[in-house]
Amino acid sequence: KAGVTQTPRYLIKTRGQQVTLSCSPISGHRSVSWYQQTPGQGLQFLFEYFSETQRNKGNFPGRFSGRQFSNSRSEMNVSTLELGDSALYLCASSKGQGIEKLFFGSGTQLSVL
Amino acid sequence: GIQVEQSPPDLILQEGANSTLRCNFSDSVNNLQWFHQNPWGQLINLFYIPSGTKQNGRLSATTVATERYSLLYISSSQTTDSGVYFCAVDRRTAGGTSYGKLTFGQGTILTVHP
């Protein structure tokens, strides 16, 4: 069974640009969650999608948005990039039935110059 | 929100040694997971253990929910065990689960030398 796949692996952008990251969950999983990891703040929850609907959201500005498609694949978008958005962005998948294990991808390393 | 504290922050071992990592949390939880982040950044799920004890090979974990802590034991450590170990929890609420959301500790950086 293939694991969680995130693309691209690395991204370099400049301030003010926007970026889209992609995540394909494990086959059969319908929930996708996104996390931001930085050296200073650690791992922080961004949002979670299930059946194309956002069910949960963390404390991030509106520049961070996401969506989920009918095949459960998810995209995350960050608009008007700031230097502080440089981070490892990780997505996790699960069946979406409540309290359960999360399975993470290898992440997208975003550098904002 | 719930606070998660992990100790020690750093741990250096010789191959073959045993170790215990600790995770303290500030509130009742309905979900607790241990992860290993490898040098390539991927988080590997080691245990889902909101209470009780589980074992998987050289690794075992115990969560004492009433006392709000969890322990991860690594026996006969190997160089491939190096990386960062995270404890992550979801707070127990009357409304149910926080879908997809886990609160992570700051991690324990483990280095195993040959």
Side-chain angles (χ1 to χ4, degrees), chain A residues 9 31 33 35 37 39-43 45 48 55-56 88 90 96-106, chain B residues 30-31 33 35 37 40-48 86 90 97-106:
Chain A
R9 184 72 179 94
S31 168
S33 307
Y35 286 78
Q37 185 177 24
Q41 298 298 316
L43 279 146
F45 172 77
E48 186 262 4
R55 289 194 301 188
N56 203 356
L88 179 65
L90 292 157
Q97 294 166 355
I99 304 167
E100 53 190 356
K101 291 176 69 169
L102 296 187
F103 297 89
F104 282 83
S106 296
Chain B
N30 57 12
N31 191 342
Q33 302 183 33
F35 296 90
Q37 188 166 38
W40 297 272
Q42 185 170 14
L43 281 168
I44 308 297
N45 195 306
L46 300 175
F47 292 103
Y48 164 71
F86 290 100
D90 180 24
T97 184
S98 301
Y99 293 108
K101 178 182 179 181
L102 292 175
T103 299
F104 282 76
Q106 289 301 307

Side-chain angles (χ1 to χ4, degrees), chain B residues 47-70:
Chain B
F47 292 103
Y48 164 71
I49 186 165
S51 64
T53 297
K54 290 187 178 181
Q55 181 155 6
N56 184 3
R58 297 181 296 104
L59 302 180
S60 65
T62 294
T63 297
V64 183
T66 53
E67 297 187 22
R68 300 182 183 170
Y69 73 89
S70 183

Side-chain angles (χ1 to χ4, degrees), chain A residues 33-51:
Chain A
S33 307
W34 289 90
Y35 286 78
Q36 181 196 66
Q37 185 177 24
T38 60
Q41 298 298 316
L43 279 146
Q44 294 184 287
F45 172 77
L46 282 155
F47 30 64
E48 186 262 4
Y49 285 86
F50 178 83
S51 291

Side-chain angles (χ1 to χ4, degrees), chain A residues 22-85:
Chain A
S22 179
C23 174
S24 293
I26 292 171
S27 177
H29 285 191
R30 296 170 64 193
S31 168
V32 173
S33 307
W34 289 90
Y35 286 78
Q36 181 196 66
Q37 185 177 24
T38 60
Q41 298 298 316
L43 279 146
Q44 294 184 287
F45 172 77
L46 282 155
F47 30 64
E48 186 262 4
Y49 285 86
F50 178 83
S51 291
E52 303 178 65
T53 300
Q54 185 183 89
R55 289 194 301 188
N56 203 356
K57 188 176 186 305
N59 296 323
F60 278 81
R63 300 185 297 107
F64 292 82
S65 63
R67 60 177 175 169
Q68 187 180 35
F69 302 95
S70 58
N71 62 357
S72 295
R73 188 177 72 85
S74 177
E75 288 182 347
M76 191 192 98
N77 184 275
V78 188
S79 62
T80 318
L81 284 167
E82 301 177 0
L83 296 178
D85 297 333

